[in-house]
Structures are given as structure tokens and as C-alpha cells.
Amino acid sequence: MSQEKKRIIYTKDLCKSFTTGNVEQQVLKSLDLEIYKGDFTVIMGNSGSGKSTLLYALSGMDRPSMGAITYEPPEQEPTGITMFGNDQLAKFRRDHVGFVFQQNYLNDSMSALDNVMVVGLLKHNNRRELAAKAKELLRRVEIEEDDWDKFPTQMSGGMQQRVAVVRGVINSPEVLFADEPTGALNSQNTENVLNILSDLNAEGQSIVMVTHTLAAAERGNRIIYLADGVISDEVDLGPYVGNYKDESNPDLDKAKERHAKLKSFLQDMGW
């Protein structure tokens, strides 16, 4: 990785085990990892490799069995979250991270705007300023005023997931975590959501995403491959430069090179 990059999360000897009956399964095995500010980091691997387990541990959504997770945001003291109590961890997640799940988990009794606002109000006291920010973000993901009062059951799956992305970034998280964020969407809605994530990253948002698809992985600049709870290898693709199939793309040659590099890397990993 470039020496100019600033790490924002790092782990040391990270382990996670699950016990079923008398059998213990070690999912993460003494894993050391650094996540860098401004990167779009993609975590890949076969089913059972530990991808989502790692994502949930890094985000504070779940606790590791052993090891340390430290956040080192710019101009802040490093913060180890592994020993936090439940209340401390909840506050930390509220103030520092955002999350987009495969299922959007929107509240069916709330409108699109209120689904975003309810998360923002956990951190912000000024409702007027928060509402203005929420509306601006909704517009950015092409949800206009006529749709702000819609309930989830009145929205398409793609619109629901775009609301979920806005909810994930409303508190300006240092890191946005995404667990298969397009896994339940059709091809057009997948493209829309990936474009939003790419735009956010281009503006400086650090993103860590788990995916099993090549199309989603191409949006990352750093691809990490897990196998049996350890990092097999990683590849640096450089910034996303558009669709390699789009003949009107001014960076078409670079896009094709990135695509070929990623495919070669994944083939080497046995994907």
C-alpha cells in the first residue's frame, strides 16, 4: 500500500470462534489487517471464509473472541474497541460507523425521510439542520420530494436500498460498512447502488464492503481475499474508472486493464 495512506482501522491477532454443541469452529484466525482512509476496500472469499464475520467485528456489530481492533481516525487518539461495554460500543457505532445490509431493515411504519431522520437524531440535536441534510442526501440518490413520505411497502427494492445507504451515511461515518448491499437487487438497481457507493468513495468516504460478485468487487480499489479465516492475498486495482463494457467510457482501456487484473487475481485465489 502507498506510504501516503493513513490507516483508520487496524487489527492484531483477531480471532473469532463459534461453538455448536461440543464443537468449536474457528472462523477468524489471528488476523492482522489495516484499513486505510479513503479506500474502497472489498472483502471476498468463498462461503464460510469469514467475510461477514470480519466485517461485523470491524464495525463493532459483533465481538471477536480474541485480539484487538483499534480505530485511528485523523486528528484523534487511537481507540481500542475490543474491551468496550455494550453501551460504549453502541455509542461508538453511532458516532463513527455506518452500515448497509443486504436486507435494508427499514422500519415499515416510517416514511423514507423518517427512516433516515431516526438514525440522525441519535447523534444530532438540531432537527432542522438534520432534515436539510437528509433531504439533500435523498436527492443525491435520486429520491425526490414526492417520494420522501413513502413507506417501504410503497417503494421498489432499489429505492429501499438507496434510502438504506442514506441512512448509513447520515451521521457522516468515518467508515461505511456494506454487507452484500446489492445481493437482493436486480441488475439495474445493483448498478444504481454501486454508482452511489462509488460516488461517495470518490468524495472521500472510506468504505469496507463484502461481496461475492465480480461487478461489485470492481468498484473497490483494494481487494482482500479470505480463505479459512486468514488473508490469502490482496490486490490493488487503483481507483475505479468506469465500466469496462462501456464503449463511451473515456478510460475504457484502463477499465479493461482493471477488470483483467481482478479476474486474474480471483482465478489465482481459486474463486
Side-chain angles (χ1 to χ4, degrees):
M1 303 302 296
S2 170
Q3 294 300 311
E4 296 179 358
K5 290 188 177 181
K6 305 294 184 182
R7 69 182 183 183
I8 194 168
I9 311 172
Y10 58 95
T11 74
K12 181 66 176 176
D13 294 328
L14 194 67
C15 299
K16 180 67 178 182
S17 299
F18 296 97
T19 301
T20 304
N22 295 323
V23 178
E24 182 180 76
Q25 180 185 9
Q26 195 171 9
V27 181
L28 300 178
K29 304 172 184 177
S30 299
L31 193 148
D32 294 345
L33 173 64
E34 293 185 336
I35 301 295
Y36 297 94
K37 179 176 172 57
D39 269 5
F40 195 145
T41 303
V42 172
I43 301 171
M44 300 188 75
N46 293 328
S47 179
S49 60
K51 305 184 299 294
S52 293
T53 300
L54 175 58
L55 195 76
Y56 278 69
L58 292 175
S59 64
M61 297 286 286
D62 193 14
R63 296 180 184 275
S65 302
M66 294 178 60
I69 302 170
T70 304
Y71 274 70
E72 196 174 44
E75 301 179 4
Q76 297 182 35
E77 291 296 317
T79 302
I81 68 170
T82 318
M83 302 304 293
F84 276 0
N86 290 338
D87 289 345
Q88 285 178 293
L89 204 53
K91 183 178 184 299
F92 179 83
R93 290 195 302 265
R94 179 196 72 189
D95 292 343
H96 297 278
V97 307
F99 215 110
V100 183
F101 303 89
Q102 180 173 344
Q103 303 300 324
N104 57 72
Y105 297 119
L106 298 179
N107 188 320
D108 286 338
S109 65
M110 291 183 175
S111 68
L113 180 59
D114 285 342
N115 263 287
V116 175
M117 291 283 291
V118 72
V119 174
L121 287 169
L122 295 173
K123 183 176 179 180
H124 302 278
N125 294 322
N126 191 317
R127 189 179 182 92
R128 180 176 296 179
E129 289 182 2
L130 178 64
K133 180 179 180 181
K135 291 172 183 178
E136 177 187 357
L137 287 170
L138 287 169
R139 287 192 186 97
R140 285 191 55 195
V141 301
E142 298 183 357
I143 299 177
E144 298 298 336
E145 188 170 355
D146 289 346
D147 294 321
W148 295 345
D149 291 332
K150 284 186 177 179
F151 294 93
T153 54
Q154 299 171 305
M155 306 177 201
S156 68
M159 182 181 289
Q160 290 177 32
Q161 195 67 329
R162 281 179 280 149
V163 173
V165 172
V166 172
R167 182 186 58 187
V169 298
I170 188 64
N171 287 333
S172 302
E174 274 131 22
V175 185
L176 178 65
F177 293 93
D179 187 11
E180 302 278 13
T182 61
L185 302 179
N186 63 29
S187 57
Q188 184 56 60
N189 285 322
T190 289
E191 184 76 7
N192 292 341
V193 170
L194 291 175
N195 285 342
I196 292 166
L197 294 176
S198 291
D199 289 346
L200 288 168
N201 178 247
E203 294 167 7
Q205 176 68 63
S206 305
I207 299 175
V208 181
M209 179 176 72
V210 161
T211 187
H212 67 280
T213 70
L214 189 64
E218 292 203 33
R219 301 306 181 109
N221 64 283
R222 180 190 184 196
I223 315 299
I224 295 171
Y225 199 88
L226 286 189
D228 297 324
V230 298
I231 297 173
S232 290
D233 204 352
E234 65 175 83
V235 64
D236 184 355
L237 299 178
Y240 179 67
V241 291
N243 193 326
Y244 74 97
K245 295 180 179 179
D246 181 3
E247 293 296 330
S248 66
N249 182 356
D251 294 313
L252 185 60
D253 288 342
K254 290 182 180 179
K256 288 181 177 179
E257 287 176 10
R258 287 179 88 257
H259 174 73
K261 187 175 183 180
L262 176 57
K263 281 194 69 175
S264 176
F265 170 74
L266 292 176
Q267 287 171 355
D268 288 345
M269 293 295 99
W271 184 75

